[in-house]
Amino acid sequence: MPRYALLILPAFNRVYGESSIRLTRSELAVFSSRGLGREVRDTEETRIGGVPYVTFETAEPLTEADVSLLSNLSSVYAVFGMEGELLRPLTMRPRDRLSSDLITIQKYAGKTNEHFTKLLLNVTALAADKGLGERLSVFDPLCGRGTSLNQALMYGYDAYGIDVDGKDFEAYTGFVKTWLRNKKLKHTAETVPVRRERALVGRRFNVTFGLSKEAVKAGDVQHLTVINADTLRSREFFKPRSFDLLVADAPYGVQHGSKGGGHGLSRSPMDLLRQAVPVWAELLRPGGAMGLAWNTYGGKSADLAAILTDAGLEVVDYPDFEHWVDQAIVRDIIVARKPT
């Protein structure tokens, strides 16, 4: 049987790096069941030349399309065909169409690991009808400073987000405008107030950009919209069935995300999700998917699955993505799709 090896990217975060092999194996299982044209078998960690790889077999050789899909694994650096003791590099064709500093240049306390953000987007997209290959519309209802939005833009998707934190909104909008200018990408960007019955309810940041002037003239543009407002009010800013994918890294039990109910900032992530998931589910298109990362110390997977099911979504049977972040956080992923 043909055998292959994935060289794993070094993680800047040591703790995440220690979990990267296991997480890659779980992510590869999702790619196998929902994206590849063939089944992946006998996945394992193999040390070659003292370096860890993820190796696997397939009944038939991988096609160029298969290798292109695997090029988007969140922690993969290179893909090789194994020929005895030799490794033959295969040509990678990742979806990324923007420079990687869009993802890596921002540094701030509490930033989600970029590899994990990509993993979450990948497995959510593969649960949806359109998979990774289409021009998708992605919504992050707890977008913070935009790591998920930036990864969606990297893939050529349109990205939309909402967050209640005004400082995060200002930091992210300032970063995006500076980045677009520095890259000399043809774009428009504006921040406008949003009012309802003359009352200010939020701010909206709108961006349209293309990779070149010719692309913009041809209509080949991407859209980014970020709202500074409470996520529980998402339906006031976006129409039902607007998005193919919804991805969110839920708060970990510190002050966050919602001012609903007039009681100040909620401290319970599960309480927020119980209120927010039904709102978010309305924004998903049929055949779309919702992927949530959360701290397992803050709630059980069965409870979160019940919240998603009660909102009319179907929880997807996925492999284990649980991993240790620090002594107060063990993070996992749950994905659900909206029936067609």
Side-chain angles (χ1 to χ4, degrees):
M1 288 186 180
R3 191 156 185 83
Y4 300 90
L6 305 175
L7 179 59
I8 304 304
L9 274 165
F12 293 112
N13 182 300
R14 177 189 59 80
V15 174
Y16 189 83
E18 292 174 352
S19 301
S20 60
I21 292 287
R22 182 175 57 79
L23 292 174
T24 297
R25 292 176 65 184
S26 294
E27 186 181 8
L28 180 60
V30 175
F31 273 67
S32 171
S33 64
R34 295 184 171 269
L36 292 177
R38 61 215 68 248
E39 180 186 1
V40 167
R41 304 172 181 173
D42 298 326
T43 304
E44 60 186 5
E45 177 181 351
T46 305
R47 299 193 76 85
I48 304 172
V51 177
Y53 290 74
V54 171
T55 58
F56 61 93
E57 292 181 351
T58 58
E60 301 291 335
L62 294 177
T63 65
E64 287 187 9
D66 292 333
V67 177
S68 293
L69 182 63
L70 291 177
S71 301
N72 298 295
L73 284 162
S74 60
S75 292
V76 72
Y77 184 65
V79 183
F80 298 92
M82 301 182 70
E83 299 178 357
E85 296 181 354
L86 302 179
L87 297 178
R88 177 171 55 86
L90 303 179
T91 301
M92 297 179 64
R93 296 182 177 87
R95 291 192 56 88
D96 293 346
R97 57 186 260 155
L98 301 171
S99 61
S100 61
D101 60 357
L102 175 62
I103 300 290
T104 61
I105 198 170
Q106 285 183 292
K107 304 294 181 185
Y108 54 88
K111 181 182 179 181
T112 303
N113 182 278
E114 296 98 340
H115 296 179
F116 177 76
T117 298
K118 188 173 182 179
L119 186 157
L120 176 60
L121 180 60
N122 282 346
V123 299
T124 304
L126 289 171
D129 287 354
K130 294 182 179 179
L132 280 173
E134 301 285 344
R135 178 72 171 265
L136 304 180
S137 178
V138 180
F139 178 50
D140 183 346
L142 300 166
C143 66
R145 297 196 188 184
T147 306
S148 296
L149 304 181
N150 291 345
Q151 181 57 60
L153 295 175
M154 289 285 290
Y155 273 2
Y157 302 155
D158 293 328
Y160 302 83
I162 188 169
D163 201 279
V164 73
D165 192 308
K167 291 184 178 179
D168 282 350
F169 176 84
E170 291 165 4
Y172 181 60
T173 57
F175 164 74
V176 169
K177 288 187 286 188
T178 299
W179 187 87
L180 288 168
R181 286 196 299 268
N182 289 344
K183 297 299 178 181
K184 296 181 171 56
L185 295 178
K186 181 69 174 178
H187 69 278
T188 61
E190 63 172 356
T191 301
V192 296
V194 181
R195 301 183 184 276
R196 299 285 186 270
E197 298 178 354
R198 299 183 180 181
L200 180 68
V201 295
R203 292 178 289 173
R204 181 188 295 266
F205 177 61
N206 295 314
V207 175
T208 299
F209 72 93
L211 300 185
S212 65
K213 292 181 180 179
E214 293 73 22
V216 172
K217 289 180 180 178
D220 180 14
V221 295
Q222 289 177 249
H223 302 282
L224 168 68
T225 294
V226 182
I227 305 294
N228 177 208
D230 188 338
T231 190
L232 297 182
R233 303 183 72 173
S234 296
R235 278 282 283 104
E236 298 180 27
F237 302 96
F238 303 106
K239 296 179 181 179
R241 304 186 176 193
S242 291
F243 307 116
D244 300 299
L245 305 177
L246 184 149
V247 293
D249 195 6
Y252 296 148
V254 295
Q255 286 193 334
H256 63 77
S258 171
K259 294 181 179 178
H263 303 297
L265 287 170
S266 169
R267 295 188 63 88
S268 168
M270 295 301 285
D271 286 347
L272 171 63
L273 293 174
R274 286 188 185 93
Q275 298 176 69
V277 166
V279 177
W280 300 343
E282 292 183 36
L283 300 176
L284 270 181
R285 293 174 180 143
M290 181 185 301
L292 303 177
W294 88 105
N295 181 12
T296 61
Y297 289 150
K300 298 179 179 178
S301 60
D303 295 334
L304 187 49
I307 291 172
L308 293 165
T309 300
D310 289 345
L313 305 178
E314 299 172 345
V315 176
V316 179
D317 183 16
Y318 265 179
D320 175 28
F321 288 107
E322 184 175 292
H323 61 285
W324 191 83
V325 177
D326 62 33
Q327 59 185 346
I329 300 171
V330 174
R331 188 165 49 196
D332 202 352
I333 288 174
I334 190 168
V335 176
R337 66 184 307 278
K338 188 169 186 176
T340 53

